[in-house]
Amino acid sequence: DGGITQSPKYLFRKEGQNVTLSCEQNLNHDAMYWYRQDPGQGLRLIYYSQIVNDFQKGDIAEGYSVSREKKESFPLTVTSAQKNPTAFYLCASSIGGPTGELFFGEGSRLTVL
Amino acid sequence: AQKITQTQPGMFVQEKEAVTLDCTYDTSDQSYGLFWYKQPSSGEMIFLIYQGSYDEQNATEGRYSLNFQKARKSTNLVISASQLGDSAMYFCAMISGFQKLVFGTGTRLLVSP
């Protein structure tokens, strides 16, 4: 079955540690996205990538980094520079362009202890 | 710049009644797509309905329909015959231009018996 897989679903880290969230898709989609969601809030765009080896900052990129070495994979690293990293992180992918083919992963919930 | 606005933080509706959730958007692109997603307390994003900017007819999917008014840049979601399971957060989103997908702040819908 085609889809997007995010892992881990739950993650705990200590302050000062970097952590990487995985996002893998087998839909052959060109575009991939990372969003952050705080409790009771909407989705804010962190980074997005339209094609392999290319990505752009979203609205809240500070303290995060990404890579897009393969079409299927778009990992997000939450660095120690991110001051308030506890949040719910969602990955999405689309075929590209304004079409209706857009899918989300199930999300990763990060808690900093 | 792209922007999505949802002005209703919360809505209440009685079971079996219809409810309209508002969404306005702003973009300078001629080609774009508009989405509505449902997010229950589990956090997953459930796709409800899609409208392309060049679609002449309003989109419908079962109990969900869109009141798409292109000149006013609005795409309101109508849920007919509300059910208790419809209680959730609802997000409007837009993809256009360079494939940047942006979301509104969401509307929390509560369906009462």
Side-chain angles (χ1 to χ4, degrees):
Chain A
D1 287 328
I4 301 181
T5 302
Q6 284 187 243
S7 63
K9 194 167 184 177
Y10 298 95
L11 184 62
F12 299 87
R13 79 153 209 214
K14 294 181 181 179
E15 280 192 30
Q17 289 181 334
N18 291 357
V19 63
T20 297
L21 308 180
S22 169
C23 179
E24 304 276 332
Q25 53 100 357
N26 61 3
L27 300 162
N28 200 34
H29 283 172
D30 285 314
M32 296 186 75
Y33 311 82
W34 273 106
Y35 293 89
R36 169 182 172 139
Q37 187 178 29
D38 294 289
Q41 304 297 314
L43 278 69
R44 292 186 288 168
L45 183 63
I46 306 173
Y47 270 98
Y48 64 108
S49 168
Q50 299 166 12
I51 56 172
V52 175
N53 293 322
D54 185 52
F55 49 84
Q56 289 80 40
K57 292 182 179 180
D59 301 317
I60 56 164
E62 186 175 349
Y64 299 97
S65 66
V66 293
S67 63
R68 187 85 187 275
E69 298 175 3
K70 298 186 299 182
K71 190 174 187 178
E72 312 80 56
S73 179
F74 191 42
L76 173 73
T77 297
V78 184
T79 75
S80 56
Q82 169 49 235
K83 298 305 179 188
N84 186 19
T86 295
F88 185 57
Y89 293 88
L90 280 159
C91 179
S93 74
S94 75
I95 198 168
T99 74
E101 190 168 334
L102 172 69
F103 297 93
F104 278 87
E106 293 187 341
S108 294
R109 198 170 297 278
L110 172 63
T111 302
V112 174
L113 304 172
Chain B
Q2 295 167 260
K3 188 176 181 182
I4 292 278
T5 302
Q6 294 180 255
T7 57
Q8 306 157 312
M11 290 285 285
F12 294 90
V13 66
Q14 275 203 314
E15 201 176 6
K16 299 180 184 176
E17 292 186 347
V19 63
T20 298
L21 306 184
D22 296 339
C23 174
T24 58
Y25 60 92
D26 189 20
T27 179
S28 56
D29 293 307
Q30 296 301 309
S31 179
Y32 51 87
L34 298 159
F35 301 80
W36 278 91
Y37 283 87
K38 172 184 178 181
Q39 188 181 44
S41 56
S42 59
E44 62 183 311
M45 296 292 282
I46 301 170
F47 168 76
L48 296 178
I49 196 166
Y50 168 82
Q51 179 89 44
S53 58
Y54 292 117
D55 294 339
E56 294 186 351
Q57 295 200 353
N58 287 341
T60 61
E61 291 283 351
R63 294 187 297 112
Y64 305 107
S65 61
L66 289 182
N67 181 8
F68 178 50
Q69 299 184 48
K70 194 170 181 178
R72 296 181 60 186
K73 292 190 175 180
S74 74
T75 177
N76 299 336
L77 175 69
V78 180
I79 305 175
S80 62
S82 296
Q83 302 172 356
L84 296 179
D86 293 336
S87 293
M89 282 289 286
Y90 288 81
F91 291 99
C92 180
M94 174 175 65
I95 188 168
S96 70
F98 295 104
Q99 303 164 25
K100 183 177 178 180
L101 176 65
V102 293
F103 282 80
T105 52
T107 297
R108 183 171 297 280
L109 176 66
L110 183 61
V111 181
S112 60

Short mmCIF file of all heavy atoms in Angstrom, two decimals, chain A residues 73-110:
data_model
loop_
_atom_site.label_atom_id
_atom_site.label_comp_id
_atom_site.label_asym_id
_atom_site.label_seq_id
_atom_site.Cartn_x
_atom_site.Cartn_y
_atom_site.Cartn_z
N SER A 73 12.45 10.33 0.82
CA SER A 73 12.78 10.62 2.21
C SER A 73 13.01 12.11 2.46
O SER A 73 13.71 12.78 1.67
CB SER A 73 14.05 9.83 2.58
OG SER A 73 14.42 10.09 3.91
N PHE A 74 12.47 12.61 3.56
CA PHE A 74 12.61 14.03 3.90
C PHE A 74 12.72 14.14 5.43
O PHE A 74 11.79 14.56 6.11
CB PHE A 74 11.40 14.79 3.37
CG PHE A 74 11.52 16.29 3.42
CD1 PHE A 74 12.69 16.94 3.08
CD2 PHE A 74 10.42 17.07 3.77
CE1 PHE A 74 12.80 18.33 3.09
CE2 PHE A 74 10.50 18.46 3.80
CZ PHE A 74 11.69 19.09 3.45
N PRO A 75 13.87 13.77 6.00
CA PRO A 75 14.01 13.81 7.46
C PRO A 75 14.14 15.22 8.00
O PRO A 75 14.73 16.09 7.35
CB PRO A 75 15.29 13.00 7.69
CG PRO A 75 16.06 13.13 6.41
CD PRO A 75 15.04 13.23 5.33
N LEU A 76 13.62 15.41 9.20
CA LEU A 76 13.67 16.69 9.89
C LEU A 76 14.50 16.55 11.16
O LEU A 76 14.24 15.66 11.97
CB LEU A 76 12.25 17.15 10.26
CG LEU A 76 12.14 18.41 11.14
CD1 LEU A 76 12.46 19.66 10.33
CD2 LEU A 76 10.75 18.52 11.75
N THR A 77 15.49 17.40 11.33
CA THR A 77 16.29 17.41 12.55
C THR A 77 15.90 18.62 13.39
O THR A 77 15.92 19.76 12.90
CB THR A 77 17.79 17.45 12.24
OG1 THR A 77 18.16 16.25 11.55
CG2 THR A 77 18.61 17.54 13.53
N VAL A 78 15.53 18.34 14.62
CA VAL A 78 15.21 19.40 15.57
C VAL A 78 16.49 19.62 16.37
O VAL A 78 16.94 18.73 17.10
CB VAL A 78 14.06 18.99 16.50
CG1 VAL A 78 13.67 20.14 17.41
CG2 VAL A 78 12.85 18.53 15.68
N THR A 79 17.11 20.76 16.21
CA THR A 79 18.40 20.99 16.83
C THR A 79 18.25 21.61 18.22
O THR A 79 17.16 22.07 18.60
CB THR A 79 19.27 21.90 15.95
OG1 THR A 79 18.80 23.25 16.07
CG2 THR A 79 19.25 21.46 14.49
N SER A 80 19.35 21.66 18.92
CA SER A 80 19.34 22.25 20.26
C SER A 80 19.08 23.76 20.21
O SER A 80 18.78 24.38 21.23
CB SER A 80 20.66 21.97 20.96
OG SER A 80 21.74 22.45 20.18
N ALA A 81 19.17 24.33 19.03
CA ALA A 81 18.91 25.76 18.87
C ALA A 81 17.42 26.10 18.87
O ALA A 81 17.04 27.26 19.02
CB ALA A 81 19.53 26.26 17.55
N GLN A 82 16.59 25.06 18.73
CA GLN A 82 15.14 25.29 18.76
C GLN A 82 14.74 25.44 20.23
O GLN A 82 14.83 24.50 21.02
CB GLN A 82 14.41 24.11 18.11
CG GLN A 82 12.89 24.08 18.28
CD GLN A 82 12.17 25.38 17.96
OE1 GLN A 82 11.44 25.92 18.77
NE2 GLN A 82 12.41 25.91 16.79
N LYS A 83 14.25 26.63 20.59
CA LYS A 83 14.03 26.97 21.99
C LYS A 83 12.87 26.25 22.63
O LYS A 83 12.85 26.01 23.83
CB LYS A 83 13.83 28.49 22.11
CG LYS A 83 15.03 29.31 21.67
CD LYS A 83 16.28 28.91 22.41
CE LYS A 83 17.48 29.73 21.94
NZ LYS A 83 18.75 29.22 22.51
N ASN A 84 11.87 25.93 21.86
CA ASN A 84 10.67 25.30 22.42
C ASN A 84 10.22 24.18 21.49
O ASN A 84 9.23 24.32 20.78
CB ASN A 84 9.57 26.34 22.58
CG ASN A 84 8.35 25.77 23.29
OD1 ASN A 84 8.43 24.75 23.97
ND2 ASN A 84 7.22 26.44 23.13
N PRO A 85 10.93 23.05 21.47
CA PRO A 85 10.67 22.03 20.47
C PRO A 85 9.51 21.09 20.77
O PRO A 85 9.10 20.33 19.90
CB PRO A 85 11.99 21.24 20.45
CG PRO A 85 12.53 21.42 21.82
CD PRO A 85 12.12 22.78 22.28
N THR A 86 8.99 21.11 21.99
CA THR A 86 7.89 20.21 22.32
C THR A 86 6.67 20.55 21.47
O THR A 86 6.14 21.67 21.56
CB THR A 86 7.53 20.32 23.81
OG1 THR A 86 8.63 19.84 24.58
CG2 THR A 86 6.29 19.51 24.13
N ALA A 87 6.25 19.61 20.62
CA ALA A 87 5.15 19.87 19.68
C ALA A 87 4.81 18.58 18.95
O ALA A 87 5.48 17.55 19.11
CB ALA A 87 5.53 20.96 18.67
N PHE A 88 3.78 18.68 18.14
CA PHE A 88 3.36 17.60 17.26
C PHE A 88 3.84 17.95 15.85
O PHE A 88 3.61 19.06 15.37
CB PHE A 88 1.83 17.49 17.31
CG PHE A 88 1.25 16.33 16.55
CD1 PHE A 88 1.64 15.03 16.82
CD2 PHE A 88 0.29 16.55 15.57
CE1 PHE A 88 1.08 13.97 16.14
CE2 PHE A 88 -0.29 15.49 14.88
CZ PHE A 88 0.12 14.19 15.17
N TYR A 89 4.56 17.02 15.21
CA TYR A 89 5.15 17.29 13.90
C TYR A 89 4.48 16.41 12.84
O TYR A 89 4.39 15.19 13.00
CB TYR A 89 6.65 17.04 13.93
CG TYR A 89 7.40 18.02 14.80
CD1 TYR A 89 7.58 17.78 16.16
CD2 TYR A 89 7.90 19.21 14.26
CE1 TYR A 89 8.24 18.70 16.97
CE2 TYR A 89 8.56 20.13 15.06
CZ TYR A 89 8.72 19.87 16.40
OH TYR A 89 9.37 20.79 17.20
N LEU A 90 4.06 17.05 11.77
CA LEU A 90 3.38 16.35 10.69
C LEU A 90 4.15 16.50 9.39
O LEU A 90 4.60 17.60 9.04
CB LEU A 90 1.97 16.91 10.49
CG LEU A 90 0.90 16.41 11.45
CD1 LEU A 90 -0.27 17.37 11.49
CD2 LEU A 90 0.42 15.02 11.05
N CYS A 91 4.27 15.41 8.67
CA CYS A 91 4.90 15.38 7.36
C CYS A 91 3.82 15.15 6.31
O CYS A 91 2.86 14.40 6.56
CB CYS A 91 5.94 14.28 7.31
SG CYS A 91 6.79 14.09 5.73
N ALA A 92 3.96 15.78 5.17
CA ALA A 92 3.00 15.59 4.09
C ALA A 92 3.74 15.50 2.76
O ALA A 92 4.89 15.94 2.65
CB ALA A 92 2.00 16.74 4.04
N SER A 93 3.09 14.92 1.76
CA SER A 93 3.67 14.89 0.42
C SER A 93 2.58 15.11 -0.61
O SER A 93 1.40 14.81 -0.36
CB SER A 93 4.39 13.56 0.15
OG SER A 93 3.46 12.52 -0.06
N SER A 94 2.97 15.66 -1.75
CA SER A 94 2.02 15.88 -2.83
C SER A 94 2.70 15.62 -4.17
O SER A 94 3.93 15.63 -4.27
CB SER A 94 1.45 17.30 -2.80
OG SER A 94 2.40 18.23 -3.27
N ILE A 95 1.85 15.40 -5.17
CA ILE A 95 2.37 15.09 -6.48
C ILE A 95 3.04 16.32 -7.09
O ILE A 95 3.84 16.23 -8.01
CB ILE A 95 1.24 14.56 -7.37
CG1 ILE A 95 1.82 13.82 -8.58
CG2 ILE A 95 0.30 15.66 -7.80
CD1 ILE A 95 0.80 13.02 -9.35
N GLY A 96 2.70 17.47 -6.56
CA GLY A 96 3.29 18.70 -7.06
C GLY A 96 2.27 19.51 -7.82
O GLY A 96 1.48 18.95 -8.57
N GLY A 97 2.27 20.79 -7.60
CA GLY A 97 1.30 21.64 -8.28
C GLY A 97 -0.04 21.61 -7.58
O GLY A 97 -0.26 20.82 -6.67
N PRO A 98 -0.95 22.45 -8.02
CA PRO A 98 -2.26 22.55 -7.35
C PRO A 98 -3.22 21.44 -7.75
O PRO A 98 -4.21 21.65 -8.42
CB PRO A 98 -2.75 23.92 -7.81
CG PRO A 98 -2.12 24.11 -9.15
CD PRO A 98 -0.78 23.46 -9.07
N THR A 99 -2.91 20.22 -7.33
CA THR A 99 -3.83 19.11 -7.56
C THR A 99 -4.34 18.60 -6.23
O THR A 99 -3.87 19.00 -5.18
CB THR A 99 -3.12 17.95 -8.28
OG1 THR A 99 -2.26 17.29 -7.34
CG2 THR A 99 -2.32 18.44 -9.46
N GLY A 100 -5.26 17.69 -6.28
CA GLY A 100 -5.86 17.19 -5.05
C GLY A 100 -5.10 16.05 -4.40
O GLY A 100 -5.52 15.54 -3.38
N GLU A 101 -3.97 15.63 -4.97
CA GLU A 101 -3.27 14.49 -4.41
C GLU A 101 -2.28 14.97 -3.35
O GLU A 101 -1.18 15.41 -3.65
CB GLU A 101 -2.54 13.71 -5.50
CG GLU A 101 -1.99 12.39 -5.02
CD GLU A 101 -1.53 11.49 -6.14
OE1 GLU A 101 -2.04 11.61 -7.27
OE2 GLU A 101 -0.64 10.67 -5.90
N LEU A 102 -2.71 14.88 -2.11
CA LEU A 102 -1.91 15.35 -0.99
C LEU A 102 -2.18 14.43 0.18
O LEU A 102 -3.33 14.16 0.51
CB LEU A 102 -2.33 16.78 -0.63
CG LEU A 102 -1.74 17.38 0.65
CD1 LEU A 102 -0.26 17.63 0.44
CD2 LEU A 102 -2.44 18.69 0.96
N PHE A 103 -1.12 13.93 0.80
CA PHE A 103 -1.28 12.96 1.88
C PHE A 103 -0.44 13.36 3.08
O PHE A 103 0.63 13.95 2.94
CB PHE A 103 -0.86 11.56 1.41
CG PHE A 103 -1.70 11.03 0.31
CD1 PHE A 103 -1.33 11.21 -1.01
CD2 PHE A 103 -2.88 10.35 0.57
CE1 PHE A 103 -2.12 10.73 -2.05
CE2 PHE A 103 -3.66 9.86 -0.46
CZ PHE A 103 -3.27 10.06 -1.77
N PHE A 104 -0.92 12.96 4.27
CA PHE A 104 -0.21 13.23 5.52
C PHE A 104 0.24 11.93 6.17
O PHE A 104 -0.41 10.89 6.03
CB PHE A 104 -1.12 13.96 6.51
CG PHE A 104 -1.19 15.43 6.28
CD1 PHE A 104 -2.12 15.96 5.40
CD2 PHE A 104 -0.33 16.29 6.93
CE1 PHE A 104 -2.19 17.33 5.18
CE2 PHE A 104 -0.39 17.66 6.71
CZ PHE A 104 -1.32 18.17 5.84
N GLY A 105 1.34 12.02 6.91
CA GLY A 105 1.71 10.95 7.81
C GLY A 105 0.88 11.04 9.08
O GLY A 105 0.06 11.96 9.24
N GLU A 106 1.10 10.12 10.01
CA GLU A 106 0.31 10.09 11.24
C GLU A 106 0.87 11.01 12.32
O GLU A 106 0.26 11.18 13.36
CB GLU A 106 0.21 8.66 11.76
CG GLU A 106 -0.61 7.77 10.85
CD GLU A 106 -0.84 6.39 11.45
OE1 GLU A 106 -0.10 6.01 12.39
OE2 GLU A 106 -1.76 5.70 10.98
N GLY A 107 2.03 11.57 12.08
CA GLY A 107 2.58 12.54 13.02
C GLY A 107 3.56 11.95 14.01
O GLY A 107 3.55 10.75 14.30
N SER A 108 4.42 12.83 14.51
CA SER A 108 5.39 12.46 15.56
C SER A 108 5.25 13.47 16.69
O SER A 108 5.29 14.68 16.45
CB SER A 108 6.83 12.51 15.03
OG SER A 108 7.05 11.54 14.04
N ARG A 109 5.09 12.95 17.90
CA ARG A 109 4.91 13.84 19.05
C ARG A 109 6.22 13.88 19.82
O ARG A 109 6.65 12.86 20.37
CB ARG A 109 3.78 13.36 19.93
CG ARG A 109 3.25 14.42 20.88
CD ARG A 109 1.97 13.98 21.56
NE ARG A 109 0.86 13.76 20.65
CZ ARG A 109 0.08 14.73 20.17
NH1 ARG A 109 0.28 15.98 20.54
NH2 ARG A 109 -0.91 14.44 19.34
N LEU A 110 6.85 15.05 19.84
CA LEU A 110 8.14 15.23 20.50
C LEU A 110 7.94 15.96 21.82
O LEU A 110 7.28 17.01 21.87
CB LEU A 110 9.08 16.04 19.60
CG LEU A 110 10.41 16.50 20.21
CD1 LEU A 110 11.27 15.30 20.59
CD2 LEU A 110 11.14 17.41 19.25
#
